[in-house]
Amino acid sequence: MGELDFTRSLAVVIGINQYQNGIAPLRTAVGDAEAIAQTLQNKHGYEVITLLDENAQADALRHLIQTTLPAQLSPNSRLLFYFAGHGIAQDGDHGPAGYLIPQNAAPGKVESYLPMVDLHDALTALPCRHFLAIFDCCFAGAFRWSSTRDISWVPDVIHQERYDRF
């Protein structure tokens, strides 16, 4: 089956440079997201949902994965999910529990983060034939542990030893 065999090609592209609540800004996430979105749309025929900076707040991300995407995808569609922004992980016995940091997250408040386990469960439940996720953030590798991890607390500080381990 080739590229034209998909009934829909949808991309979700998220880029966050400017965070609220004192979280350090990033320099290239939005520019990278814009370039990815343009390439997918212009050269590969994707429909693109783009959420940049203040449009990538926690409620918008949750609505996207819980409501918008399930309503827009069919069994013969494909989805590319791209996130560029901050990520954090917590150490555990079976690997890190990862979190994506929405634009309006509050440092140290886990409830304001987007758990990778929630994202993993929502995205893998979608009725699409092909799915590709790209995470341009720290601790992106925690996504592969998402289906086996329970959520618990996240430390305010990640020490160098923990960073080196991941």
Side-chain angles (χ1 to χ4, degrees), residues 5 51 105:
D5 294 328
L51 300 174

Side-chain angles (χ1 to χ4, degrees), residues 28 38 42 44 56 88 101 103 140 163:
T28 62
Q38 183 177 10
N42 296 340
H44 300 285
I88 191 170
I101 307 301
Q103 191 266 347
Y163 179 82

Side-chain angles (χ1 to χ4, degrees), residues 75-156:
N76 199 35
S77 56
R78 65 180 170 175
L79 173 67
L80 188 146
F81 185 94
Y82 175 86
F83 176 88
H86 282 302
I88 191 170
Q90 168 197 323
D91 196 4
D93 294 335
H94 304 291
Y99 301 85
L100 299 183
I101 307 301
Q103 191 266 347
N104 62 333
K109 295 194 185 283
V110 178
E111 63 275 8
S112 70
Y113 304 164
L114 180 60
M116 285 190 194
V117 70
D118 291 354
L119 183 63
H120 175 275
D121 291 349
L123 294 176
T124 58
L126 292 171
C128 55
R129 181 161 48 106
H130 184 263
F131 164 65
L132 174 64
I134 302 169
F135 297 100
D136 183 4
C137 62
C138 289
F139 304 106
F143 188 76
R144 74 179 171 128
W145 281 285
S146 295
S147 63
T148 62
R149 296 285 310 192
D150 290 328
I151 305 281
S152 58
W153 66 278
V154 175
D156 289 335

